[in-house]
Amino acid sequence: MKKCSKIIGLIILLFTFIPLFGQNNSIGDMEGMLERHNFYRAEVGTPPLQWSNKLAKNALKWANILKKKNCLLKHSPRNMRKGYGENIAWNSGYSESAIGVVDRWCSEKEYFNFSTRTCNGSWDLCGHYTQVIWKTTTKVGCAVVKCGDEEIWVCQYSPSGNVNVSNKASAY
């Protein structure tokens, strides 16, 4: 009876993660994603993020829509994000790691003015970076889909950070 309970528990655990980690979004694909986000947050003293399966599931839903549109690079409509922030990335001809994707977003910190805590010129120049380090953001969930030799990466953040802000808003 005890052995049967353990097996049932393992089956339930397995089925909990199957919808999230399907053919295009495996646990291995996300290896290092949370840790790399928290690496950059630690650099500026913002609290670490927690992983959200709910956000990851929503990110995967959008990534799959983009896959059906030939891996179109486009943010999800705000009504689909339910107030979440979002970073997206696309690559072709090579497979990117989760760490590499976050590093690419955070390479935008060269456009971030640490004295004023704003982007130099426009949020468009460092928006991915500011979303990663945004102080009030507490959760992240991500997904990746493959379209032949292309990949679309989507991360969603809660609460959202750098959307609908003026250049006077502070990232941390």
Side-chain angles (χ1 to χ4, degrees):
M1 186 67 165
K2 207 177 203 182
K3 189 175 184 179
C4 184
S5 294
K6 285 182 181 180
I7 291 171
I8 290 171
L10 286 172
I11 291 171
I12 290 170
L13 184 62
L14 176 67
F15 281 103
T16 301
F17 290 101
I18 284 177
L20 183 58
F21 301 113
Q23 177 181 351
N24 289 311
N25 197 49
S26 70
I27 293 170
D29 290 332
M30 293 302 117
E31 186 176 332
M33 181 63 79
L34 179 63
E35 294 81 2
R36 201 61 171 170
H37 273 82
N38 287 333
F39 169 82
Y40 286 104
R41 292 175 68 81
E43 282 187 337
V44 295
T46 54
L49 297 174
Q50 299 296 313
W51 185 261
S52 167
N53 286 337
K54 180 180 178 183
L55 290 172
K57 186 175 182 182
N58 203 55
L60 181 59
K61 180 178 176 183
W62 180 244
N64 279 324
I65 289 170
L66 295 175
K67 180 178 180 173
K68 290 177 185 173
K69 297 180 179 188
N70 296 319
C71 266
L72 178 69
L73 182 65
K74 183 177 180 177
H75 280 286
S76 62
R78 296 206 185 210
N79 65 345
M80 187 178 172
R81 278 188 259 156
K82 305 169 192 140
Y84 306 149
E86 184 174 77
N87 277 346
I88 56 176
W90 172 88
N91 56 280
S92 178
Y94 65 97
S95 226
E96 182 84 271
S97 69
I99 292 168
V101 169
V102 179
D103 285 348
R104 193 165 14 138
W105 289 328
C106 291
S107 70
E108 295 176 358
K109 76 179 178 179
E110 72 178 281
Y111 302 107
F112 186 73
N113 184 322
F114 287 90
S115 298
T116 62
R117 297 182 179 183
T118 60
C119 296
N120 293 321
S122 163
W123 285 104
D124 294 338
L125 295 174
C126 65
H128 296 102
Y129 175 65
T130 57
Q131 177 59 82
V132 170
I133 65 165
W134 204 265
K135 184 178 184 177
T136 57
T137 298
T138 58
K139 296 176 184 171
V140 64
C142 305
V144 60
V145 294
K146 299 176 189 331
C147 312
D149 70 344
E150 298 178 47
E151 293 176 336
I152 291 284
W153 292 80
V154 179
C155 284
Q156 294 188 341
Y157 303 83
S158 179
S160 63
N162 59 356
V163 293
N164 296 326
V165 295
S166 71
N167 276 344
K168 301 293 182 207
S170 178
Y172 64 98

